[in-house]
């Protein structure tokens, strides 16, 4: 039986025996228990190295939907584990640390969205994947940063749309589609802090560098970007470009995979704006993603906990907009 303090902490913190090769033991447990490890680009490098598959939110959802494994270990944040459970209700889904939340998901509560929908009859709800299962259950179609434009473009031109919760992404999609979607006022605590002045300074220091930015960034940052796109788009562009220097405005975890695949190229992460709450912190990192660790993955596999579950009535509604997204992606 799990200790009560484990449940209170949201992860198993049993000490690991000295000398344990965690990567080897994790792979052994995966084989023994028929488990697959999915990791987001924003997790730390050693987790990406031990994972079966790394990707952005869309790729992880697609992989979860297709896996034959009995257990899915989602190394990302809580809503990603929920998405796995929504798509794979028969599988055990492990989240190494239940405290790995998301500022975007937290910015849109289901009860608030329900009320907003009632105040705007006739509107379709397009929700970013960074939302809880309860919000997805109130949604008509889910999108990621990689497919949002494509999906919004596929909807009738006169469709009335509520887009949430990321205001910056919604504003960007409005600008590139000519839509006038109603935008929820949510934001990512990492992407909202990138410094315009920091980009200008880096550009002066490295005039040949391309600026690549995630659409969750503020509009003032995106106007300085040569390429705006999801983490997968940013990675692909770095690999395929003839350029040798890049200024990156997204969570710094992506640099591990970019540098692995782009030998001989140089990357400069954009710093956060300076303020009282950013002094002394690594604010181009997601503190939630960084809660994942090899020891937590090992213990999660060993004890098959913490699990993520979604009530069946919510799951049945939440799976519909996700399946619509996957059909169009």
């Amino acid at each position: 039986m799990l200790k009560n303090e484990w449940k209170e902490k949201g992860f198993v913190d049993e000490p690991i025996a000295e000398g344990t090769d965690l990567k080897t033991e994790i792979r052994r447990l995966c084989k023994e228990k028929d488990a697959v490890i999915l990791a987001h680009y924003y997790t730390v490098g050693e987790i990406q190295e031990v994972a079966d598959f790394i990707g952005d939110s869309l790729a992880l959802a697609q992989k979860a939907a297709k896996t034959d494994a009995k257990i899915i270990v989602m190394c990302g944040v809580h809503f990603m584990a929920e998405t796995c459970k929504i798509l794979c209700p028969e599988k055990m889904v492990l989240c190494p640390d239940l405290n790995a939340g998301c500022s975007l998901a937290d910015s849109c509560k289901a009860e608030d969205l329900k009320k907003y929908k009632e105040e705007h009859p006739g509107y379709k709800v397009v929700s970013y994947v960074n939302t809880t299962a309860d919000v997805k259950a109130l949604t008509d179609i889910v999108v990621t940063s990689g497919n949002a434009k494509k999906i919004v473009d596929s909807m009738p031109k006169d469709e009335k749309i509520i887009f949430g919760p990321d205001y910056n992404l919604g504003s960007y999609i409005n600008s590139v589609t000519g839509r006038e979607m109603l935008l929820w006022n949510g934001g990512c605590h990492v992407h909202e802090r990138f410094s315009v002045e920091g980009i200008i300074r880096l550009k002066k220091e490295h005039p040949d560098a391309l600026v690549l930015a995630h659409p969750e960034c503020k509009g003032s940052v995106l106007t300085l970007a040569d390429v705006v796109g999801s983490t997968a788009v940013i990675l692909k562009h770095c690999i395929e470009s003839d350029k040798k220097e890049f200024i990156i405005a997204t969570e710094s975890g992506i640099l591990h995979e970019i540098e692995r695949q782009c030998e001989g190229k140089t990357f400069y992460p954009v710093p956060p704006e300076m303020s009282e709450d950013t002094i002394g912190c690594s604010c181009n990192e997601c503190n939630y993603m960084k809660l994942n660790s090899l020891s937590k993955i090992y213990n999660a596999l060993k004890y098959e906990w913490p699990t993520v579950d979604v009530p069946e009535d919510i799951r049945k509604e939440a799976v519909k907009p996700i399946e619509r997204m996957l059909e169009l992606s």
Side-chain angles (χ1 to χ4, degrees), residues 23-62:
K23 289 184 179 179
T24 298
E25 285 301 297
I26 286 169
R27 294 316 315 167
R28 179 186 65 80
L29 286 169
C30 283
K31 184 176 181 180
E32 176 186 310
K33 301 196 175 192
D34 189 14
V36 63
I37 297 175
L38 307 182
H40 196 277
Y41 288 128
Y42 295 165
T43 54
V44 296
E46 61 184 7
I47 289 177
Q48 296 183 42
E49 290 165 5
V50 81
D52 294 280
F53 180 81
I54 60 173
D56 60 5
S57 297
L58 175 59
L60 293 174
Q62 290 171 326

Side-chain angles (χ1 to χ4, degrees), residues 166-220:
D166 192 282
Y167 181 89
N168 292 329
L169 175 60
S171 181
Y172 172 72
I173 297 303
N174 271 346
S175 72
V176 295
T177 62
R179 301 274 180 159
E180 295 182 355
M181 301 184 296
L182 297 182
L183 306 180
W184 196 267
N185 191 25
C188 169
H189 73 291
V190 175
H191 289 94
E192 284 205 318
R193 287 175 167 172
F194 286 122
S195 168
V196 169
E197 291 75 17
I199 296 175
I200 293 171
R201 175 178 55 79
L202 286 169
K203 191 67 176 173
K204 286 181 179 178
E205 293 171 357
H206 310 284
D208 292 331
L210 285 184
V211 179
L212 280 59
H214 195 285
E216 287 180 24
C217 296
K218 295 177 296 185
S220 54

Side-chain angles (χ1 to χ4, degrees), residues 210 212 238 241 243-248 265-268:
L210 285 184
L212 280 59
C238 290
S241 175
K243 290 281 189 176
K244 297 297 182 182
E245 294 183 296
F246 302 86
I247 297 166
I248 307 295
K265 297 182 179 181
T266 306
F267 304 92
Y268 309 103

Side-chain angles (χ1 to χ4, degrees), residues 95-328:
C95 180
D97 190 333
L98 293 176
N99 300 297
C102 173
S103 55
L104 263 175
D106 290 345
S107 73
C108 184
K109 305 297 184 185
E111 57 268 29
D112 296 330
L113 178 58
K114 184 175 183 294
K115 180 181 178 182
Y116 196 68
K117 284 180 65 176
E118 291 169 351
E119 292 171 351
H120 297 85
Y123 277 75
K124 296 288 186 182
V125 176
V126 176
S127 288
Y128 196 22
V129 71
N130 299 44
T131 46
T132 65
D134 289 342
V135 166
K136 289 182 175 72
L138 295 169
T139 295
D140 293 286
I141 189 163
V142 166
V143 299
T144 69
S145 56
N147 63 23
K149 180 182 183 300
K150 178 181 177 181
I151 288 175
V152 170
D153 274 338
S154 74
M155 302 174 74
K157 293 296 182 182
D158 59 350
E159 189 81 79
K160 295 188 290 186
I161 300 171
I162 295 170
F163 185 97
D166 192 282
Y167 181 89
N168 292 329
L169 175 60
S171 181
Y172 172 72
I173 297 303
N174 271 346
S175 72
V176 295
T177 62
R179 301 274 180 159
E180 295 182 355
M181 301 184 296
L182 297 182
L183 306 180
W184 196 267
N185 191 25
C188 169
H189 73 291
V190 175
H191 289 94
E192 284 205 318
R193 287 175 167 172
F194 286 122
S195 168
V196 169
E197 291 75 17
I199 296 175
I200 293 171
R201 175 178 55 79
L202 286 169
K203 191 67 176 173
K204 286 181 179 178
E205 293 171 357
H206 310 284
D208 292 331
L210 285 184
V211 179
L212 280 59
H214 195 285
E216 287 180 24
C217 296
K218 295 177 296 185
S220 54
V221 168
L222 298 183
T223 58
L224 297 174
D226 298 293
V227 176
V228 176
S230 66
T231 47
V233 167
I234 290 172
L235 173 61
K236 184 173 186 288
H237 196 87
C238 290
I239 294 170
E240 296 179 352
S241 175
D242 293 332
K243 290 281 189 176
K244 297 297 182 182
E245 294 183 296
F246 302 86
I247 297 166
I248 307 295
T250 191
E251 210 276 352
S252 59
I254 187 64
L255 293 176
H256 180 80
E257 183 63 11
I258 290 178
E259 290 173 346
R260 187 184 74 82
Q261 294 203 42
C262 300
E263 188 175 348
K265 297 182 179 181
T266 306
F267 304 92
Y268 309 103
V270 176
E273 294 175 336
M274 294 305 296
S275 64
E276 289 185 4
D277 63 337
T278 61
I279 293 173
C281 75
S282 298
C283 293
N284 58 359
E285 293 187 352
C286 175
N287 55 303
Y288 296 116
M289 287 282 186
K290 270 45 178 183
L291 288 175
N292 292 275
S293 68
L294 290 181
S295 61
K296 290 174 184 176
I297 296 169
Y298 171 77
N299 278 329
L301 280 164
K302 181 178 178 180
Y303 290 99
E304 299 183 4
W305 189 85
T307 59
V308 170
D309 293 295
V310 177
E312 185 60 13
D313 58 333
I314 296 295
R315 191 200 71 81
K316 284 182 177 179
E317 293 303 312
V319 75
K320 296 174 185 177
I322 299 174
E323 288 179 338
R324 291 189 192 108
M325 174 188 74
L326 294 177
E327 288 169 3
L328 291 169

